[in-house]
Amino acid sequence: MSRICDFGSGIGNSIPFFRTHFPQASLTSCDVSERSLALSKQRYPDSTNYRLIENDRIPAEPDAFDLAFSACVFHHIPHDEHAMWLRELYRITKPGGLIAIFEHNPLNPLTVHAVNTCPFDVNAKLVLARNLAQRLAEAGWASPRIRYNLFFPRALALLRPIEDKLGWLPLGAQYVALARKF
């Protein structure tokens, strides 16, 4: 991946992971919050391009990115706006490019409890994986698929090596929705 868009990048918590796993990639952090982007710039002054999302539009040319990435953002967006944002992410992703959306799993009771008791998530509305996959398809993304992850807490970390085999099981704390633009 040479060009990555981090949609809803917030204060840059994903930047260290992109630096580790995609060290040669050009990363663009996009968010609706000027304050979050400013904090991200303070934390990682030399690591990324920053773009403020305004007027329901990501400030990027069509087909600009190889990967559109989002981590725990869509549960903060009203569900009736998901299709619009998925189309916007489709617009900025090049043909053959990938979208990867990580979300909290509302089928996991511990995740639901964590979200319901987190002040940051006071207005959050969790998204069922099958609904997000359907919205991806409706927005033009090809062959959406879901993988569940984060099955075992730290106390059971010895079991984490088997998590890759459990991706089909809708009980993980989170899931990733993947699709391509063709």
Side-chain angles (χ1 to χ4, degrees):
M1 300 288 155
S2 62
R3 297 170 299 161
I4 300 171
C5 174
D6 184 358
F7 173 73
S9 60
I11 61 171
N13 289 339
S14 296
I15 291 173
F17 299 99
F18 286 119
R19 283 181 173 169
T20 298
H21 297 287
F22 303 100
Q24 303 304 317
S26 170
L27 176 62
T28 299
S29 296
C30 298
D31 204 281
V32 296
S33 168
E34 285 183 77
R35 186 164 190 257
S36 292
L37 291 174
L39 286 169
S40 183
K41 283 180 194 179
Q42 282 181 331
R43 294 173 71 200
Y44 307 102
D46 61 344
S47 70
T48 186
N49 302 308
Y50 292 93
R51 299 203 183 151
L52 181 65
I53 298 171
E54 297 179 292
N55 304 316
D56 295 338
R57 186 163 174 86
I58 299 168
E61 296 297 316
D63 306 332
F65 297 98
D66 301 291
L67 172 66
F69 170 86
S70 180
C72 299
V73 172
F74 276 82
H75 66 271
H76 291 286
I77 297 172
H79 286 212
D80 63 348
E81 294 181 18
H82 287 181
M84 183 268 300
W85 286 112
L86 293 170
R87 284 191 301 273
E88 182 64 2
L89 289 164
Y90 186 89
R91 180 187 70 79
I92 66 166
T93 303
K94 74 175 192 174
L98 177 70
I99 189 168
I101 301 174
F102 287 82
E103 275 297 326
H104 297 308
N105 182 8
L107 299 178
N108 180 299
L110 295 176
T111 297
V112 171
H113 175 73
V115 170
N116 286 342
T117 57
C118 176
F120 185 73
D121 286 331
V122 68
N123 294 318
K125 186 172 179 201
L126 296 179
V127 184
L128 288 168
R130 67 177 173 265
N131 292 348
L132 187 55
Q134 180 180 352
R135 291 174 188 147
L136 280 162
E138 290 169 357
W141 294 94
S143 305
R145 61 187 179 96
I146 302 295
R147 294 272 311 160
Y148 294 91
N149 54 41
L150 301 177
F151 290 88
F152 301 109
R154 187 173 309 183
L156 299 173
L158 289 174
L159 297 173
R160 287 185 178 162
I162 66 169
E163 285 190 348
D164 280 345
K165 294 177 179 24
L166 298 174
W168 58 272
L169 183 64
L171 296 178
Q174 290 190 343
Y175 64 87
V176 60
L178 301 165
R180 286 220 178 261
K181 178 179 178 178
F182 287 111

